[in-house]
Amino acid sequence: MKTHRKLWTLETMRGSRALLVGMVVPLVLGACAQDETERSADPGLDGRAGASTTVAQIDDARIENAADEPGTWLAYGRDFREQRFAPLTQINRESVSDLGLEFVVDVPTAGALEATPLVVDGRIYFTSTYSVVYAVDATSGETLWVYDPQIPKDFNRRACCGPINRGVAVYEGMVYVGTLDGRLVALNAETGAEVWNVNTVIDQERNYSITGAPRVARGKVFIGNGGAEFGVRGYVTAYDAFSGEQVWRFFTVPGDPSLPFEHPEMELAAETWKGGEWWEVGGGGTVWNSIVYDPEFNHLYLGVGNGAPWVRVIRSPGGGDNLFLTSIVAVDADTGEMKWYYQTVPGDNWDYTAVQDMTLADMRVDGEDRKVIMQAPKNGFFYVIDRSNGELLRAHPYSQVTWASHVDMETGRPVENTQLDYFDRPQWILPGPLGGHDWQAMAFDEAKGVVYIPTQDIAGFYSVDAEFKETGVFKRNPGTLNLGTDMRNGFSLVADYLDEQPMYKGNLIAFDPLSGETIWSVEHPFYWNGGVLATAGDLVFQGDALGFFSAYDADTGEKLWSHNNFVAMLAPPVTYEVDGTQYVAILAGGSGRITNFFGSMDEVATMKFGNFGRLYVYALGGDVVLQQPQIVDRSIPEPPELTATEAELKVGEQNYSMLCVGCHGGGAASSGVLPDLRLLSPERHAIFDQIVVDGALAATGMPGFADVLSRDEAEYVRQWIISRAIADRAAIQDD
Ligand code: CA
């Protein structure tokens, strides 16, 4: 196959930029000095002094050679390659029917648990909501220590998708966690004591947050951030693993053009942003999930997110590719200098991030041995790229795709479907903002050459902000999401297009990355399910939204075993071995934010049983029996009196759609994780403004909105909720 290399190397522009590099240095050092004021540890101290000398003695060689210790799970995707494939075989096709629950660890949260547990030296390290870190015994579940960074509970208003966290990194006797409020913290792996703590946020006025797991290699910790929808500018920073000092920082999108470029790659990027004031809104491009280290080339691969705002004519009205949005960027792990990039969606218009997990492998492609990086980003195409130089090798669709017909392998660019332009008329487009695949991890069996992907076909309803269409002006709102789509009127607008809406589906697929063939596919009852683990026992493990944790035959997709945990699962399972026993572990606890936006169903565990946090650990012969929790009564009580005018209800609906919908659900119907406001008690109705405006329940995680909502507007929101309760009560009684 003839392929075109979409490739740019620093070497091609180094000569002309040499002077610029020199000019940039003082700026970068300035940023370092500022960070140091936030440090809790003495920067002169060798951080090793605080690290454990007895447990978690993990170095680069150990992570690189993880195949030599099949019983551990040393890093986010098990090792540097992040294949999430475990070479353990005690639990296999034949024995899996004897798999049972060995122990359970209760994790006190009602939020989503999304972390990958790391397992080393008989200890499991994982995170809960609000970036709380746990160390527990890997054979009994006994808690060894808990670290709580004390994030104010109402900080969750500054994070799009709940106070979630996807896990820790463990290295040289330390445990590293990125906190929801943007700090990076190093802990003693034995005691949980804080060793150092740096603030990674460059602008405290903007809603930066960290939910992703840090990665470690080469004596450094690498961390990105989230917040694109709130109007931030993305970047990744490398810190010295021992002292916490900043080593380098790579911005993913250009900043204010009146200021100097922070590093030479920003000059290249700035040429692809045209008109508009993207730096005012932020630009986006946050690296909120995937960062992968490649010891073979000393590359660090950054998975870069979507543009902010989503709508490209607002962000960059003169066109342009808007580098490095939705790109995989390879940088030198020691210096942060770019080596190559591949952009999956030039001029992103749909919230198509390329932050989904990336997997490294060796593969024979068209008769040649290649070292590849693979990703199934949100946009629905599965990419196989030569990781030595960024050459595109494959880009087959893995889910339903309507935004583009295909990827042109000559140019490496997608061919957009212009009929689905949504400026003049709203459109249902596949994939939607949840992607054909999101952060829920995939797994790759290198021997079989098969990737197992949790996919979904969920169309997005895209329409352009009505005020922008009328005035041509888009103002960043620091208090809420800045999508550029018509969130304000979305609920009533979508009602006119429901007959065009494609079905929502969730799947687990076995996919051949080279041929693009789907080898088998299992359709789930609900669209939003958990990450995946593959093992040498020819099994694929996955948890689902209905509360079942299941094992599938890796070759056929046949469900061989299933266990009802009575709680929704999103996190990827892991497996490990201690004293000759193989265990499988998964964190459980579902997300309200996503399912609230896109609707729920009665059989989903969060609806049926509510939501709670747990670590479930299984082994052959495990015999712990779970009691079924009580089924939650979700009937709507007689609502209070509706007194608002039609015009006031409209204002209530618009504010609800901007500020409340993400947690409490479309049409005020919750998915069961956070309160369903149609069910509010008379006592809560009586103090509604104190809760919503003044923040009376801030300590429980319900923030106040005094900065964006007047007392009258809050009352209109309450009235609109009452109108929804009346309508839905009548509809249920009609059935
Ligand atoms: Ca996004």
Side-chain angles (χ1 to χ4, degrees), residues 229 306 310 351 353 378:
E229 278 71 15
N306 59 277
W310 290 358
D351 186 27
T353 67
K378 276 189 185 176

Side-chain angles (χ1 to χ4, degrees), residues 485-507:
T485 57
D486 201 358
M487 272 190 88
R488 196 170 286 277
N489 299 300
F491 180 74
S492 48
L493 197 60
V494 79
D496 296 336
Y497 294 85
L498 282 179
D499 56 332
E500 297 174 18
Q501 180 183 27
M503 280 288 287
Y504 285 2
K505 275 176 54 189
N507 316 286

Side-chain angles (χ1 to χ4, degrees), residues 99 152 171 205 208 229 255 261 298-299 318 326 329 370 404 408 419 435 445 514 521 524 529 541 576 628 636 690 709:
L99 194 61
Y171 193 63
E205 299 301 307
Y208 280 99
E229 278 71 15
F261 298 114
N298 198 34
H299 286 167
T326 65
V329 178
R370 296 277 197 161
D408 181 332
Q419 288 178 341
D445 184 327
L514 292 180
S521 175
H524 289 300
N529 301 288
F541 289 90
Y576 59 92
Q628 177 179 309
I636 303 171
Q690 293 167 42
L709 209 58

